[in-house]
Amino acid sequence: MPLNTEPILLNLGPHHPSTHGVFRLRLIMDGEIIEDAEPVMGYMHRGSEKLAEERTYTQIITLTDRLDWLSGMSNNLAYVRTVEKLSDVEVPERAQYIRVISVELMRIASHCMALGFLINDLGAFATPLMYMFREREKILDLLEMLCGARITFSYMRIGGISHDLPEEFLPALRDFVDQMPKHIDEYDELLTKNEIIQTRAKGQGLLSAQNAVDFGVTGPNLRASGVKWDLRKSDPYEVYDRFEFDIPVGDHGDNYDRYWVRLQEMRESLKIISQAMEQIPGGLTRANVPFFVHPPAGEAYSHIEAPKGHLGFYIVSDGTISPWRCKIRSPSFINLGALASMIIGSKLADVVVTFGSLDTILGEVDR
Amino acid sequence: MTTALQGNDAAQHISEAVPQSILSVEENLIFVSADAIVSICEFLKSDSRYAFDFLEAISAVDMIDHFQVVYHLLSLSLNQTLVLKIQLYGRDDLSLPSISGVWKAADFQEREIYDLNGITFVDHPNMKRILTWDGFDGHPLRKDFL
């Protein structure tokens, strides 16, 4: 008697164990093989873009913290840069350096979490994650010195930053920059050659360079596919053109490359931070902007290289104290577009790993 | 540095390839006709002077008497950008040709615009809501919602 098999529909989520947020995948399965996949999102839709239309330009900074909650500083920066472009504000040099230091710290913290949860998804439950939490904790302590907050910073202001560096910040940062390479070596030793990671991540979740560009994938995910594109180099903003650093690029675009690129990027960020610490000039930390910023009527689009990819803001101003439209181009949302093509044909157990390797934060997807 | 292309030069090349598709030109942006958007995008993607291989963002703006749909294009190989704009008059039964056949990145973004602004994209493979749920009433980013 022939064995009849028919495809079944499997709902993965909406509660996903890897705490990236609330996300659901509808999978059509043939046995253990994925035949079709559809991401379902929106469980955390808070209407950030609509809320922005009813707040002043400065108040919106607090909304941006809550997009990608692992990298509040980068979100702040992407937003304030767009308003600065719209209202033609020149930011003092010292503020630009402090911005660069804080977003690079944020990048390290965000990559720590991306790697930690990826390893978690791979089955190394919590232990490697705790190593990475340990270093992230130090970064959050540093950022707390800057602004008093640990997750929702709202540190950037239109035209600069809210406070100058406190006295104890630079020595503490120096300690961190000295210690961190040892910790990254530790991750490297513990994980990079680990047999489980090699076998489970290599060759899985393939994303070709052409597909990555076509799907609009950006950030470490794009670079892991072999495309050397980083806005910090190709379109330097703030003072990034004054630093020497490399762009790590993968070859195959598999889960392992996405892991490897992030690990290397942490080292590059440390290079940037230590150069910035040497070069940082004195002076003002905020340009002279009115309390109620009201850019002239017009529009501006500006994007930065956030830890997850291109984070862009498109703001249309009607000349009042709140924007007419504030569109957020969030990297996680657009990176997710490629997920279905990456998991079709793979096994159910690898779906979780591929999803983890994309480093998606659902707060930013759903906005 | 990324160069923002001059609208005038690009508009001339586009109108040579796709006649009568340009409505007007501002500094770095081109107003194009809705019917021609797919051919324009195909031209801009394949022409070696433009090579816009990457769709950065599609945004929709409710201007009360009309909607603007804004396409931010980026070329990774030539490091340049261009902005295309479409104006859609009216508020009911708005529709546009989908460009998800040109860049796959358009898929989710067009669904988002349909969901939040209520503009339908014709020939889209999966035209349904993405951030709110099926059966949700209204389009939240319209100015008359709430």
Side-chain angles (χ1 to χ4, degrees):
Chain A
M1 193 177 86
L3 193 64
N4 285 330
T5 58
E6 27 183 277
I8 57 161
L9 178 91
L10 183 77
N11 243 321
L12 196 68
H15 291 279
H16 193 266
S18 59
T19 69
H20 302 278
V22 186
F23 176 68
R24 174 175 159 214
L25 260 175
R26 291 179 83 243
L27 301 168
I28 306 288
M29 312 277 304
D30 173 19
E32 219 188 324
I33 310 289
I34 314 286
E35 281 196 333
D36 198 8
E38 187 193 2
V40 182
M41 57 201 92
Y43 294 94
M44 285 191 62
H45 181 56
R46 293 151 294 174
S48 303
E49 294 177 8
K50 186 77 174 176
L51 288 172
E53 288 172 8
E54 298 180 356
R55 275 159 177 72
T56 67
Y57 280 94
T58 311
Q59 285 173 328
I60 294 169
I61 297 171
T62 61
L63 291 178
T64 65
D65 285 323
R66 287 149 178 87
L67 294 174
D68 167 5
W69 47 70
L70 294 180
S71 49
M73 286 286 187
S74 313
N75 305 341
N76 285 177
L77 180 63
Y79 168 72
V80 296
R81 276 185 56 77
T82 314
V83 183
E84 283 156 9
K85 186 176 174 187
L86 194 57
S87 40
D88 222 1
V89 174
E90 187 78 28
V91 181
E93 221 172 60
R94 182 174 174 81
Q96 296 194 29
Y97 273 94
I98 297 173
R99 283 176 172 192
V100 167
I101 291 175
S102 46
V103 296
E104 288 306 320
L105 283 173
M106 205 72 256
R107 189 185 312 277
I108 300 176
S110 170
H111 283 355
C112 274
M113 286 300 91
L115 297 186
F117 281 111
L118 172 63
I119 308 299
N120 212 21
D121 293 346
L122 272 162
F125 191 66
T127 310
L129 178 63
M130 285 304 137
Y131 280 80
M132 282 141 185
F133 258 117
R134 182 183 64 189
E135 272 69 67
R136 176 171 178 261
E137 197 62 25
K138 289 176 188 156
I139 295 173
L140 295 188
D141 286 345
L142 284 168
L143 297 177
E144 192 180 1
M145 280 184 203
L146 292 177
C147 56
R150 296 164 59 80
I151 306 284
T152 50
F153 305 101
S154 297
Y155 179 52
M156 311 279 174
R157 288 291 185 279
I158 293 149
I161 48 176
S162 69
H163 305 76
D164 200 353
L165 298 180
E167 242 170 64
E168 65 275 18
F169 181 79
L170 282 177
L173 182 63
R174 168 55 61 198
D175 282 348
F176 172 78
V177 172
D178 289 342
Q179 286 167 15
M180 190 60 192
K182 269 187 288 179
H183 295 306
I184 301 179
D185 290 342
E186 212 171 58
Y187 306 156
D188 217 353
E189 223 168 279
L190 179 69
L191 303 169
T192 307
K193 297 249 167 69
N194 183 301
E195 199 182 330
I196 299 175
I197 291 173
Q198 294 265 337
T199 45
R200 293 242 10 232
K202 271 201 170 164
Q204 294 295 335
L206 288 171
L207 180 64
S208 69
Q210 200 198 345
N211 254 344
V213 174
D214 208 20
F215 274 114
V217 172
T218 44
N221 299 329
L222 176 67
R223 294 189 281 277
S225 293
V227 182
K228 200 166 184 174
W229 176 267
D230 188 320
L231 285 178
R232 291 174 293 169
K233 283 271 192 210
S234 7
D235 190 16
Y237 48 92
E238 303 296 318
V239 285
Y240 274 110
D241 47 353
R242 302 185 191 172
F243 308 123
E244 276 180 31
F245 60 100
D246 299 320
I247 306 173
V249 175
D251 312 313
H252 313 290
D254 56 5
N255 293 343
Y256 183 79
D257 278 355
R258 284 188 280 279
Y259 155 82
W260 184 85
V261 162
R262 290 202 172 86
L263 192 72
Q264 303 307 318
E265 274 188 12
M266 297 208 274
R267 296 186 205 273
E268 301 305 321
S269 292
L270 284 174
K271 278 191 206 166
I272 297 173
I273 295 171
S274 56
Q275 289 171 58
M277 276 163 68
E278 279 161 24
Q279 296 177 15
I280 189 166
L284 292 173
T285 53
R286 204 183 319 178
N288 204 1
V289 290
F291 185 74
F292 284 113
V293 181
H294 44 90
E299 58 172 62
Y301 179 83
S302 140
H303 53 187
I304 67 160
E305 186 74 33
K308 313 279 188 292
H310 290 189
L311 175 61
F313 279 81
Y314 174 62
I315 296 179
V316 180
S317 161
D318 57 351
T320 60
I321 56 170
S322 4
W324 179 256
R325 172 85 168 93
C326 175
K327 144 100 187 178
I328 304 159
R329 187 251 188 238
S330 66
S332 293
F333 177 65
I334 293 170
N335 290 353
L336 258 190
L339 179 67
S341 76
M342 292 159 73
I343 58 176
I344 288 174
S346 70
K347 292 208 168 70
L348 179 62
D350 295 325
V351 170
V352 183
V353 183
T354 306
F355 178 58
S357 78
L358 274 179
D359 189 17
T360 311
I361 294 295
L362 269 296
E364 193 179 51
V365 174
D366 297 341
R367 283 157 286 158
Chain B
M1 286 298 266
T2 306
T3 358
L5 288 181
Q6 287 300 313
N8 280 324
D9 307 343
Q12 197 173 350
H13 290 144
I14 293 172
S15 58
E16 282 165 19
V18 190
Q20 301 185 340
S21 56
I22 308 291
L23 301 179
S24 64
V25 181
E26 275 174 32
E27 204 180 339
N28 292 319
L29 65 91
I30 306 175
F31 287 90
V32 298
S33 78
D35 303 331
I37 185 69
V38 178
S39 346
I40 293 174
C41 290
E42 274 166 359
F43 165 74
L44 289 173
K45 189 183 181 185
S46 56
D47 192 276
S48 59
R49 288 165 296 184
Y50 295 101
F52 284 113
D53 43 11
F54 190 90
L55 174 69
E56 173 79 15
I58 314 179
S59 332
V61 188
D62 184 354
M63 306 301 267
I64 310 271
D65 64 330
H66 70 281
F67 279 85
Q68 284 188 348
V69 181
V70 191
Y71 298 81
H72 287 92
L73 311 183
L74 174 67
S75 165
L76 301 190
S77 47
L78 301 178
N79 203 354
Q80 56 192 16
T81 60
L82 185 67
V83 184
L84 302 179
K85 255 190 193 187
I86 292 178
Q87 287 177 317
L88 283 175
Y89 284 87
R91 298 194 73 77
D92 302 316
D93 300 327
L94 297 175
S95 73
L96 266 182
S98 163
I99 56 161
S100 56
V102 187
W103 296 285
K104 291 176 192 154
D107 185 337
F108 276 22
Q109 302 190 49
E110 287 179 343
R111 280 177 67 187
E112 186 193 336
I113 291 176
Y114 165 68
D115 189 359
L116 303 181
N117 289 282
I119 299 170
T120 316
F121 288 84
V122 182
D123 292 333
H124 186 282
N126 189 17
M127 193 81 263
K128 59 180 192 184
R129 289 181 181 271
I130 189 164
L131 293 180
T132 60
W133 55 95
D134 292 335
F136 184 85
D137 191 22
H139 302 284
L141 278 181
R142 288 193 167 196
K143 292 285 177 184
D144 52 10
F145 183 91
L146 287 191

